[in-house]
Amino acid sequence: MISVEDARDRILSFFSRLEVERKPLLDALGQVLAEDIVAPFDIPPLDNTAMDGYAVRAADTTGATQSSPRTLRVVADLAAGYIMEAAIGPGEAVRIMTGAPMPPGSDAIVPFEETDEPLRGVNEAARKAQTVQVMKATHPAANVRFRAEDVNAGQTVIPAGRVIRASEVGVIASVGLSEVPVYRRPVVAILSTGDEVTEPGQPLLPGRIYDANAYGVAAMVRKFGAIPRLLGIARDTVEDLTAKIREGLDADMLVTSAGVSRGDFDVVKDVLAREGDVDFWTVRMKPGKPLAFGAFNAPGGRKVPHLGLPGNPVSSMVSFELFGRPAIFTMLGRTDWERPVIKAVTRDSVKNTDARRFYARCIVARGDDGRYYADLTGPQGSGILTSMSAANALTVIPEDLPEAFPGDEIDVMMLDWEHAP
Ligand code: AMP
Ligand code: MG
């Protein structure tokens, strides 16, 4: 038996990040930037106002108070998006809206609230008077946003290698780019195997089961940032299995489920061996001990990495979480595939009798005392798929710990922070 880490290292040695593609900005969400994004201009490009109000010469407001306002002549009305060419002189002010560039000659903004404007009533004519009374002294630079206070021209705003989140999309748009160079999303072909496995939506014959694995894994593939391609269900015959595997060979990775445990029809293993180099491993983990990994020979001498997941649905999802996710992240150019592992107090006894690492499904939530607590989701059989749906975390019980007792602090791997069922 090999450890989870050994299995993951061996698997990851088959993967590297994919080619660079140019993508419309919004479609690149979750992908990794392949080149630095450099600002071609200052942001903001000009000094501008941070408030709606009046652009003034601060010196003109010296001594202004509620009872002794200073009266200034309003010489213009300036909206964001427009520039004033003429300079304002002593005793003059410009009515100005947030974001509009500072008129030449002005050095401060007096917000509406510090003028008589709110007292003049709400109709348009009353608001836009010939003069304004400033009721509070201001100082140079008050409420001014300065040119380049965010970004200098030539500055790298997002470095290559950064994952594009919503904030990065915003920053990249702010420098005027509508397309970005990113590492391509991998295509992951997914094949279920087994005579008993039936496509959802079709009638279920006696003794058959619906294909949970292909859909569960495809959803993970998409969530992790790759593109799932469902190849359907292969019957346990050499012909069908061979044909379906070949359909998946233009993908970046092939995932099969079932047929890797000991009791299976040998055809699966035969086909895997004939179409590529596939090893069968037993990984020191629970659920999901059996795992196949290798590479298929594709046309043109290409090798397509193959991850053979166990058939039991929980095993298949947990194995894909531990091995498929790092593989996808690596192809995307991401190194942050490690899930957060935190300490939580178990409220249940977690028995770990066969010296494997136990990833039990659990619900982790913060208690009133500020500590995290873990509750098992119930029966932990690897066929009990609703236990995955009930969980937001997996316990990480070490191989050499036979039991964690209620009240013990254990490691839990958070799968989902947002959603505690
Ligand atoms: P196997 O690895 O073929 O021995 O399958 C182990 C268990 O997983 C059996 O109970 C299978 O019926 C079940 N199984 C296999 N494939 C799927 C699938 N695609 N969806 C749900 N269960 C499956
Ligand atoms: Mg089977």
Side-chain angles (χ1 to χ4, degrees):
M1 271 203 281
I2 59 174
S3 70
V4 170
E5 285 71 25
D6 272 354
R8 191 166 54 205
D9 288 349
R10 290 194 205 181
I11 289 170
L12 288 186
S13 72
F14 277 75
F15 291 92
S16 43
R17 67 182 181 208
L18 302 176
E19 322 82 76
V20 176
E21 62 176 0
R22 300 196 78 82
K23 271 294 237 351
L25 180 52
L26 196 51
D27 296 344
L29 190 63
Q31 285 177 272
V32 174
L33 196 59
E35 292 164 23
D36 291 348
I37 299 290
V38 175
F41 46 76
D42 294 333
I43 302 177
L46 296 168
D47 295 350
N48 67 93
T49 171
M51 309 260 312
D52 296 330
Y54 287 86
V56 301
R57 300 155 68 103
D60 287 347
T61 69
T62 307
T65 62
Q66 200 92 15
S67 54
S68 170
R70 296 288 173 272
T71 302
L72 303 176
R73 210 158 359 93
V74 180
V75 295
D77 202 349
L78 192 62
Y82 299 92
I83 283 189
M84 228 177 100
E85 307 279 357
I88 67 168
E92 292 182 344
V94 169
R95 194 166 179 276
I96 193 167
M97 301 302 130
T98 304
M102 295 295 285
S106 68
D107 61 5
I109 300 294
V110 178
F112 286 148
E113 305 83 282
E114 294 172 9
T115 72
D116 65 335
E117 183 166 317
L119 311 175
R120 278 188 247 139
V122 290
N123 74 63
E124 179 88 359
R127 282 191 288 122
K128 294 187 179 178
Q130 302 284 309
T131 59
V132 62
Q133 295 194 355
V134 175
M135 307 173 115
K136 195 171 167 197
T138 187
H139 55 85
N143 304 310
V144 177
R145 299 191 290 213
F146 288 98
R147 171 181 180 159
E149 74 176 19
D150 188 0
V151 174
N152 281 295
Q155 186 184 326
T156 296
V157 283
I158 316 268
R162 188 72 77 70
V163 177
I164 299 179
R165 306 167 304 163
S167 325
E168 283 71 28
V169 169
V171 171
I172 294 167
S174 78
V175 302
L177 297 180
S178 59
E179 282 189 348
V180 274
V182 287
Y183 300 105
R184 176 170 74 73
R185 289 188 200 280
V187 174
V188 179
I190 301 161
L191 178 63
S192 294
T193 73
D195 284 355
E196 77 279 31
V197 182
T198 307
E199 181 69 24
Q202 299 300 313
L204 195 66
L205 299 176
R208 305 273 163 100
I209 55 165
Y210 282 121
D211 184 0
N213 293 352
Y215 285 91
V217 168
M220 295 171 92
V221 165
R222 186 174 290 170
K223 186 131 199 245
F224 301 157
I227 302 164
R229 189 142 73 72
L230 293 174
L231 300 176
I233 302 158
R235 301 289 145 226
D236 286 323
T237 66
V238 174
E239 296 71 31
D240 199 29
L241 206 57
T242 308
K244 294 252 164 51
I245 284 174
R246 287 192 180 150
E247 280 172 40
L249 292 185
D250 54 353
D252 298 295
M253 177 181 183
L254 175 67
V255 178
T256 59
S257 85
V260 293
S261 55
R262 219 165 287 153
D264 253 281
F265 286 92
D266 280 339
V267 296
V268 177
K269 291 177 186 178
D270 286 352
V271 171
L272 297 183
R274 209 168 43 199
E275 299 285 308
D277 308 302
V278 178
D279 286 332
F280 291 86
W281 298 343
T282 50
V283 184
R284 195 180 285 280
M285 62 184 272
K286 186 171 67 181
K289 182 162 70 170
L291 188 76
F293 184 75
F296 280 103
N297 303 315
R302 225 166 53 88
K303 297 267 185 196
V304 183
H306 165 239
L307 183 60
L309 302 173
N312 281 309
V314 175
S315 310
S316 133
M317 290 193 87
V318 171
S319 302
F320 196 75
E321 167 64 38
L322 294 177
F323 307 117
R325 180 178 144 98
I328 287 174
F329 272 42
T330 302
M331 288 188 276
L332 283 167
R334 295 181 67 156
T335 52
D336 57 338
W337 41 261
E338 201 84 65
R339 294 280 197 184
V341 173
I342 63 168
K343 298 279 182 203
V345 178
T346 178
R347 278 194 275 240
D348 295 305
S349 152
V350 193
K351 288 205 174 62
N352 186 27
T353 44
D354 43 6
R356 293 187 270 157
R357 190 172 309 161
F358 189 17
Y359 296 101
R361 275 70 67 206
C362 64
I363 301 155
V364 172
R366 218 144 100 130
D368 293 337
D369 59 2
R371 303 176 78 188
Y372 284 98
Y373 288 86
D375 296 292
L376 295 188
T377 55
Q380 295 289 323
S382 56
I384 299 177
L385 188 53
T386 51
S387 71
M388 279 303 278
S389 165
N392 65 349
L394 298 173
T395 68
V396 188
I397 305 292
E399 293 81 334
D400 59 0
L401 185 72
E403 181 166 8
F405 297 96
D408 284 355
E409 200 168 63
I410 60 169
D411 282 338
V412 291
M413 179 190 291
M414 297 306 299
L415 300 177
D416 205 340
W417 280 104
E418 299 103 73
H419 179 73

